[in-house]
Amino acid sequence: MSETTIETRDHIGIIRLNRPDKLNALNTTLMTQVIEALEQFDRDNNIRCMLLAGDQRAFAAGADINEMADATMIEMHHRNMFGRWDRIKKIRKPIVAAVSGYALGGGCELMMCCDIVVASETARFGQPEVNLAIIPGAGGTQRLTRAIGKARAMDLILTGRMITADEALAMGLVSRVVPAEQWFDAALQLCQELCEKAPMALQAGKDAVNSAFETTLTEGIEVEKKLFYMLFATDDQTEGMRAFVEKRKPVFVGR
Ligand code: DAK
């Protein structure tokens, strides 16, 4: 059985984690499939954004503990099991995460690699690795700290405790909390909204915001300025501004 299901709806590439019996624990096969699907959608000119989801019970309860349980330090080093995670950072199109149930450990880290998170009111987040005598290894100590600040990140990473969707919203870890039954449809609707925007503007916006995590303010503002000017080379910018002046809805073509 495939560890993921992949489909497209209009301009949306949908990837669903599919290990329901294991709360979508992230094993090597599953992660390989997720990353290859993201890259495939990123190359596909028909796709404008991606939706990454688990199921109602879990987005993902972490990396698969069974895969790591007996590994030695040298084996973990050689396996470079999450080396491929770095490739998610290179995806240019927006990725929306639809989170219901558990987003723990590597599941929370995978979610933080996404660009917008829509969470069910039932969702639970955490970095419980400390309970296994390890620490987050796929960016959790860094991305969580940047997302919610040092005090809260220390609290979550050192205690391993879970937080609710409302706490995650208050902390800025997610941007939308929706009623339980809408967790997937609300994220899909958000993707549909994104598909109506100019694709190059979406990608430039993502690129510019991500620059804020990698650069000084001055460098980041330079990146923003270049991306801003670059968009004036697109047909969509002409269309967007012309449509505004002509009081009609723009039609963006992605160039
Ligand atoms: N791995 C493997 N199996 C898991 C799993 C996981 N992380 N989480 C749940 N499962 C499996 C359970 O073993 C169980 O399988 P069966 O026994 O039925 O075969 C099934 O999913 C249902 O789980 P439970 O029976 O435990 O369900 P409950 O509702 O009672 O509890 C729970 C739900 C989420 C509270 C509990 O399952 C739990 O505590 N799960 C573990 C959560 C966790 O500790 N997550 C962090 C894992 S460590 C790295 C990068 C990243 C990472 C590592 C390396 N590198 C760059 C090298 C990441 C590490 C992690 O995420």
Side-chain angles (χ1 to χ4, degrees):
M1 193 171 84
S2 177
E3 312 282 43
T4 52
T5 60
I6 315 283
E7 61 169 308
T8 58
R9 283 195 214 175
D10 301 321
H11 298 294
I12 307 165
I14 303 174
I15 304 165
R16 295 196 67 163
L17 312 183
N18 188 31
R19 298 186 76 207
D21 297 347
K22 298 293 176 189
L23 302 182
N24 295 322
L26 308 169
N27 64 15
T28 305
T29 308
L30 181 148
M31 280 310 297
T32 303
Q33 290 175 2
V34 167
I35 290 161
E36 287 179 355
L38 288 171
E39 290 178 338
Q40 176 63 34
F41 285 140
D42 210 35
R43 285 192 296 268
D44 183 340
N45 287 338
N46 186 49
I47 296 298
R48 295 187 175 189
C49 76
M50 284 84 116
L51 175 56
L52 183 61
D55 54 42
Q56 196 166 2
R57 194 165 166 220
F59 178 72
D64 192 321
I65 298 167
N66 297 302
E67 253 189 3
M68 298 181 286
D70 296 325
T72 64
M73 188 267 270
I74 298 293
E75 279 163 357
M76 287 300 279
H77 176 78
H78 287 313
R79 245 186 240 175
N80 192 20
M81 58 191 271
F82 291 96
R84 61 182 73 77
W85 283 57
D86 294 341
R87 286 155 53 188
I88 303 176
K89 246 175 80 174
K90 299 201 168 76
I91 300 293
R92 293 165 308 167
K93 295 173 186 170
I95 310 172
V96 173
V99 178
S100 176
Y102 298 110
L104 303 176
C108 190
E109 291 172 305
L110 178 60
M111 179 197 89
M112 287 191 284
C113 291
C114 298
D115 304 307
I116 307 181
V117 180
V118 177
S120 160
E121 60 195 352
T122 65
R124 295 290 178 273
F125 307 85
Q127 297 288 164
E129 288 89 341
V130 69
N131 298 326
L132 303 169
I134 57 170
I135 64 168
T141 61
Q142 304 305 301
R143 289 201 176 91
L144 191 66
T145 305
R146 283 164 166 79
I148 67 176
K150 175 186 165 181
R152 289 155 162 172
M154 280 291 188
D155 182 335
L156 295 190
I157 288 169
L158 300 191
T159 68
R161 75 183 174 92
M162 282 188 226
I163 56 169
T164 64
D166 283 339
E167 286 175 278
L169 182 67
M171 291 180 182
L173 182 59
V174 307
S175 59
R176 301 180 184 206
V177 175
V178 298
E181 64 280 6
Q182 289 171 25
W183 71 277
F184 187 81
D185 289 345
L188 190 62
Q189 194 184 336
L190 169 60
C191 288
Q192 281 155 353
E193 272 175 47
L194 295 182
C195 287
E196 290 178 15
K197 312 292 181 200
M200 292 295 285
L202 289 179
Q203 292 177 37
K206 170 170 174 166
D207 197 3
V209 171
N210 281 334
S211 289
F213 294 100
E214 307 283 352
T215 59
T216 63
L217 179 61
T218 306
E219 287 163 346
I221 286 171
E222 278 307 309
V223 169
E224 180 191 82
K225 210 183 293 173
K226 287 192 175 107
L227 289 165
F228 178 82
Y229 292 146
M230 181 270 289
L231 291 170
F232 280 75
T234 64
D235 292 345
D236 282 344
Q237 174 273 326
T238 310
E239 164 67 5
M241 293 194 177
R242 203 170 276 163
F244 177 82
V245 172
E246 294 169 3
K247 300 191 185 302
R248 61 176 174 81
K249 202 168 176 253
V251 179
F252 296 123
V253 293
R255 58 173 187 272

